[in-house]
Amino acid sequence: MTEILRNGTGLAQSSIIAAGVRDEILSGTRRPGERIGQQALAEQYGTSRLPVREALRMLESEGLVTVVSNAGARVSKLELDECVEIYRIREQLDPLLVSLAVPNYTDEDIARLTELERAVAMASNVEEFLSADRTFHVESYRAARSPILFETVERMWNTTQHYRRAYSHLVGDDGLGLNHLEHQLMLAAFRDRDASEARRLLYSHIRRTRRAFTRHPEIFQEA
């Protein structure tokens, strides 16, 4: 990787750095509010600080990093009311996205989504669940062919990733099992190409998590 970074263009270098930091944030290795040192990243990847700064701008556009002039970059952090507001927005946007996608599903799409949901159900720990759950939902949106809406929703997924992790640890197997049941209902709507029912189910799915956050403010106090 170091050789690629040294020989690559500035954009390629920035993309590699952004990918590494993105993985660290989404996996929970870097926690909300944690400072991201530009010099440390430059040394880690064997580059100057210029591609590091560009990488951080990329991650800021994805909602993963907050960059403040003269204060540096930190992993984005949310308060409870901010997370609740994002989920209220998602209650409207995610169902719209899936309702646009459902009529475009091919039989191959349905087969893939079925396999992806099976991976959610078979997850043996929270990290596996989070990865599989995100993939299932994101892939269910792709057929919408609405890139601006898709990117908007994906950004909101990014900014709330840490709090979904904390919530998943809190609810344990019973709570994650309920997710699986809701996914099964969604899959039935997908197979029937019933966009209205898929939209209704996804709205309830997201709303349930949003309401759970309000019952557990400690998730945000501990972040």
Side-chain angles (χ1 to χ4, degrees):
M1 179 180 290
T2 300
E3 191 67 24
I4 294 174
L5 282 166
R6 286 175 178 166
N7 296 332
T9 65
L11 181 58
Q13 292 175 335
S14 297
S15 296
I16 291 171
I17 296 168
V21 178
R22 182 186 301 111
D23 287 345
E24 291 174 345
I25 294 172
L26 293 178
S27 69
T29 303
R30 291 183 182 269
R31 295 176 61 81
E34 179 180 330
R35 185 177 180 275
I36 304 175
Q38 291 188 23
Q39 186 58 39
L41 277 179
E43 292 174 359
Q44 177 183 345
Y45 286 93
T47 69
S48 69
R49 295 178 65 168
L50 184 60
V52 170
R53 285 196 290 272
E54 180 58 31
L56 292 175
R57 281 194 286 268
M58 292 177 182
L59 295 170
E60 184 177 35
S61 72
E62 297 173 17
L64 291 169
V65 166
T66 301
V67 179
V68 180
S69 299
N70 303 317
R74 293 184 180 275
V75 178
S76 295
K77 182 176 182 178
L78 297 176
E79 301 296 335
L80 170 60
D81 59 342
E82 293 172 318
C83 191
V84 166
E85 182 176 1
I86 288 172
Y87 264 75
R88 287 189 184 278
I89 296 169
R90 282 195 55 209
E91 285 170 21
Q92 304 303 316
L93 297 189
D94 287 53
L96 171 59
L97 196 53
V98 84
S99 72
L100 295 172
V102 167
N104 297 327
Y105 286 162
T106 63
D107 290 343
E108 289 76 16
D109 290 329
I110 297 298
R112 173 163 169 70
L113 289 169
T114 301
E115 286 300 314
L116 289 173
E117 204 293 313
R118 187 173 293 118
V120 179
M122 294 177 63
S124 60
N125 56 57
V126 167
E127 290 308 317
E128 286 184 8
F129 165 79
L130 287 171
S131 177
D133 180 72
R134 180 182 175 118
T135 302
F136 170 75
H137 283 289
V138 169
E139 290 304 312
S140 76
Y141 301 155
R142 289 198 187 279
R145 301 167 191 163
S146 183
I148 295 174
L149 181 56
F150 182 91
E151 289 174 10
T152 301
V153 167
E154 191 169 35
R155 188 179 193 278
M156 289 189 286
W157 271 82
N158 287 341
T159 58
T160 57
Q161 174 81 358
H162 173 80
Y163 307 98
R164 285 197 306 279
R165 174 178 292 104
Y167 168 71
S168 297
H169 278 291
L170 186 69
V171 300
D173 291 342
D174 290 343
L176 300 185
L178 182 55
N179 268 285
H180 173 57
L181 292 175
E182 291 174 341
H183 288 171
Q184 288 292 307
L185 292 173
M186 287 182 217
L187 277 172
F190 295 168
R191 293 188 187 101
D192 292 340
R193 308 305 197 272
D194 190 337
S196 177
E197 179 68 357
R199 184 170 185 160
R200 183 189 68 80
L201 289 166
L202 185 58
Y203 169 83
S204 297
H205 186 64
I206 297 170
R207 181 173 180 267
R208 180 174 62 80
T209 303
R210 188 257 300 169
R211 296 182 68 180
F213 281 144
T214 64
R215 295 194 297 272
H216 296 284
E218 68 273 14
I219 290 175
F220 300 86
Q221 295 162 4
E222 295 169 359

